[in-house]
Amino acid sequence: IHPDDRDHFSAVKDAQARGERVQNEYRIVRPNGEVRHIFDRSFPVPGAERTRSAGVASDITDRVLAEEALRASEQRLRDFGEASQDI
């Protein structure tokens, strides 16, 4: 887990341990140093003797990077529009 996401990740895992349904986005750091963005969702397993959960985790890195690129592009367009009005 990325160091900046550990506290949030812990809180979500505590909720999961209490049997709550959770969704979470966080980053992981791979052994080679690469950062990947993860979206996971889990839900309690009914009828389990003790609290158990099941879930699915997805790598959403491509989506996150595309969203960041879009925001940067939109900002450049706004900056250009403001600069052209000043001229």
Side-chain angles (χ1 to χ4, degrees):
I1 306 301
H2 189 283
D4 293 343
D5 296 343
R6 286 184 184 154
D7 289 342
H8 174 72
F9 183 83
S10 257
V12 170
K13 288 303 173 189
D14 289 345
Q16 181 184 23
R18 291 189 302 272
E20 297 176 26
R21 180 179 295 259
V22 296
Q23 292 186 8
N24 189 19
E25 285 189 31
Y26 55 93
R27 294 165 291 174
I28 61 170
V29 182
R30 297 183 51 149
N32 66 0
E34 178 186 24
V35 175
R36 305 297 293 179
H37 295 261
I38 304 297
F39 174 72
D40 78 31
R41 41 209 174 275
S42 66
F43 49 91
V45 176
E49 213 172 275
R50 56 188 171 150
T51 303
R52 292 189 183 206
S53 62
V56 177
S58 303
D59 184 333
I60 60 169
T61 303
D62 292 340
R63 186 194 85 196
V64 169
L65 295 177
E67 289 170 351
E68 289 172 358
L70 179 60
R71 279 192 296 276
S73 177
E74 289 171 339
Q75 184 61 50
R76 283 192 303 275
L77 183 58
R78 278 191 296 278
D79 293 346
F80 178 75
E82 290 171 9
S84 65
Q85 289 177 0
D86 291 342
I87 295 174

